[in-house]
Amino acid sequence: HTWFSSIDTLKPRLADLSCLTGSVTIDDSRVVGPLFNPQKWDFQSNGSVNQLVLDSARLPGNLLIERGQFTWQKSQIKFSGVDAAMGNSLLTRVSGRADWKKRPSIRVRAEDAIFDPEDLSSLIFTDEKYTRSLNPILPLNGKLVLKNVTYSGPLSGASKEKPEISAAINRITLDSRGLSGTFRIGRGQLAWRDNQLVLKDLDAY
């Protein structure tokens, strides 16, 4: 992390990343560029990660990547077989890609996910006007058990692009000071797109 942060071309992309620990195994690697100017190097490598901990200002807590494989080529990293945890939330069998060209972005798909609403709120409701309108029901407590979760959004905190989420609902339970009882969903579909939450085919009570 310290080395990459010293490279001018990577430094702005790592501004939100304050700490990175763990181990990375490189199975195959190639570096192309002028020998005495590492700032212009292009990397190509394959490998795996183990117990990687990432701390970022854009995340509500440390992100633990227990295991996973990756392919890194120039400005893009593809990953698969990832199991990860953040706060009280878990994701398994995650795949996707991160790209930090002109508009740094990330796309992720998880086969199974368990989310704590508190871990999600700071990722989705980043605009104060939405937070104010939701004050009557915040904070939310409970659990979201989802399948086939997809997430796409910007990597840079300065980007105006909004994240998008979709998933199949396995089970959701929510408690709030604004609800007269526990809200439960047995199945259905959800999507968050263009600052709009869409729910379909719900079994709820």
Side-chain angles (χ1 to χ4, degrees):
H1 177 243
T2 303
W3 177 41
F4 288 142
S5 297
S6 68
I7 300 174
D8 288 343
T9 54
L10 292 179
K11 190 173 183 179
R13 312 304 188 196
L14 298 174
D16 293 328
L17 185 62
S18 57
C19 182
L20 188 65
T21 61
S23 64
V24 178
T25 302
I26 304 297
D27 300 323
D28 182 27
S29 183
R30 187 163 72 97
V31 180
V32 178
L35 180 61
F36 298 109
N37 193 351
Q39 296 180 3
K40 296 184 179 180
W41 289 358
D42 282 333
F43 296 88
Q44 297 182 30
S45 62
N46 303 313
S48 59
V49 298
N50 183 51
Q51 298 296 310
L52 194 69
V53 179
L54 184 151
D55 187 10
S56 169
R58 290 178 54 77
L59 297 175
N62 289 344
L63 174 63
L64 167 64
I65 301 176
E66 295 184 3
R67 63 182 66 83
Q69 292 78 46
F70 70 88
T71 300
W72 181 0
Q73 186 168 12
K74 295 185 177 180
S75 64
Q76 187 178 88
I77 293 179
K78 296 181 180 179
F79 47 91
S80 61
V82 175
D83 291 339
M86 183 181 65
N88 295 316
S89 302
L90 302 171
L91 298 98
T92 61
R93 290 170 287 183
V94 180
S95 60
R97 72 175 185 268
D99 196 314
W100 55 89
K101 282 189 176 180
K102 292 182 180 179
R103 294 183 177 179
S105 62
I106 186 168
R107 295 180 62 87
V108 178
R109 181 183 183 276
E111 292 189 21
D112 297 287
I114 300 175
F115 288 114
D116 185 308
E118 188 174 352
D119 296 332
L120 282 179
S121 60
S122 59
L123 292 175
I124 301 174
F125 305 118
T126 55
D127 195 314
E128 280 190 18
K129 66 181 179 181
Y130 296 111
T131 304
R132 287 196 300 269
S133 64
L134 289 169
N135 272 338
I137 63 169
L138 294 177
L140 288 170
N141 299 305
K143 184 178 292 185
L144 291 78
V145 183
L146 309 174
K147 295 184 72 67
N148 301 323
V149 181
T150 63
Y151 174 91
S152 62
L155 272 174
S156 171
S159 175
K160 294 182 179 180
E161 294 184 36
K162 301 296 184 181
E164 296 184 0
I165 298 173
S166 66
I169 299 171
N170 192 1
R171 184 177 74 258
I172 292 179
T173 58
L174 294 174
D175 286 293
S176 164
R177 64 186 180 187
L179 299 174
S180 58
T182 300
F183 177 60
R184 295 180 175 91
I185 298 177
R187 71 175 183 91
Q189 301 284 331
L190 68 82
W192 175 265
R193 187 176 295 110
D194 296 327
N195 290 328
Q196 186 176 58
L197 177 64
V198 178
L199 300 169
K200 298 193 301 182
D201 304 324
L202 300 182
D203 287 345
Y205 57 98

